[in-house]
Amino acid sequence: MRKIQFFDTTLRDGEQTPGVNFNTKEKVQIALQLEKWGIDVIEAGFPIASPGDFEAVQSIAQQVKKMTVTGLARCQKKDIDRAHEALKDAVDPQIHVFLATSDVHMHYKLKMTREEVLASIKEHVSYARSLFEKVQFSPEDASRTEKDFLLEAVQTAIDAGATIINIPDTVGYSNPTEYGKIFKSLIENIRSDREIIFSSHCHDDLGMATANALAAIENGANRVEGTINGIGERAGNTALEEVALALAIRKDFYQCETPIILSETKRTSELISRLSGIPVPKNKAVVGDNAFAHESGIHQDGVLKNPETYEIITPTMVGVTQNSLPLGKLSGRHAFNAKLEELGYQFTDADSKEAFKRFKRLADKKKQITDKDLVALLADQSREETEAYKLAEVQVQYSSNGYQGAIVSIINEENETKVASKIGSGSIQAIYNTIDELFQQAPELTEYEIQALTGGEDAQAEVRVTLRDTQTKKEFRGIGVDFDVLHASAKAYVKASNQIASNR
Ligand code: KIV
Ligand code: ZN
């Protein structure tokens, strides 16, 4: 059977989702979970883009043992050098070089002629090949590139030393028939004395990213690129978990093997959702909470008689557990550490000590600590470590008739505290006005969502906010989890405010 390589770009294309900013520690945590999930190649970032991206690619390259680690580079020597520097400690490094080849991109964006584009591909892929054994080339906007020119660009990259050719449907314009044909035609027409891996890279603007990726595989692609939960620019990328399950459940049709450990799927999805701040829709294929819920009587009856009547994927297959061993007040360090390991966390001693302290505080208030509670607690901890200011205290004065008042204090690493007080028409507005005063910022609150993190009367509240910085026009997300709705709201807002401040 053909083996399909899985290439994850959650940390690069996925991080291009508005409002999503992972810190280095979170990126390493995600990388290690992706390794556990079975990913072959991780695109850890775009090293020239910022010092933060460089640092993350470098840290991942140093810590990942089994996956190939790649970094993105434009057709520019300085990009390739920066990627080389960031990836120098990787066990198996790869570079990903790209240049647009569609007429609209070449004419308006690059202001380059076809000849200049071909010359640049030749020069920069050759240069990349002088530094890397594995070179991947992407003709950006390939699906809207004139077919003969696409072949010419791809052949130029192969002749210059690329052994992996990725065909991006950059704007999510293609459809399965058309996208599949591009692969078939390129594979039939390229000349090479080395094995060339063809890779698919799709965006979901027309809702066809998964179908397009599968069409590419049917037509000879041996690598698929995408992100977890399909996060990414605009409508996002191919959701890798969907491709993995489609190839597994329909092995009879696709006749392909994948490296993916399916039972790690749900856990991987939850980690990305929490750290990105982007909730997984309940009806999302494969990982949504309702993916296995059978509501209608006819379906329930059928499933009870034989699950195969309506259930093509079982919850256990993707690692949906019943949380059979929730922790509680009496759970000790050993049980706690075992749970962290089971959840895929690899902590230093200091980090796990701090996590255990937080867990004990939570266990004082909540009878059963579920996996969801723990993942939220640990995400809070990792984010707070890199925040300039943490929420220290919130006081609200409530009046049923008139304005509400809030006093909020925040504290930094050096134990310096700032306190302010403001009013608002509601309690949350009063708190948010106060936090704006503390950070000396006035962002626009574009989203505010609240839900119970788990079931049960003692469930914690989870608040997600999105703030739009009116100066930079960028969006930032924050999640706050607490027993108290006002406190959770304040935490989420402080998190997003910290990101605005550090981004400026
Ligand atoms: O969508 C795209 O074209 C990309 C390239 C950089 C591969 O993400
Ligand atoms: Zn992309």
Side-chain angles (χ1 to χ4, degrees), residues 15 21-28 56 382-384 386:
E15 211 197 19
N21 301 283
F22 302 116
N23 62 43
T24 298
K25 202 163 176 189
E26 290 167 343
K27 286 186 179 178
V28 171
S382 86
R383 182 102 312 171
E384 275 176 20
T386 54

Side-chain angles (χ1 to χ4, degrees), residues 9 12-13 16 43 72 96 98 136 138-142 166 168-171 201-203 225 234 237:
T9 182
R12 200 277 299 168
D13 225 343
Q16 287 174 219
E43 185 157 61
L72 187 67
H96 179 187
F98 75 101
Q136 166 167 326
S138 289
E140 191 190 3
D141 206 16
N166 180 48
D169 181 25
T170 303
V171 292
H201 178 110
C202 303
H203 283 265
E225 295 194 7
R234 308 181 311 278
N237 289 59

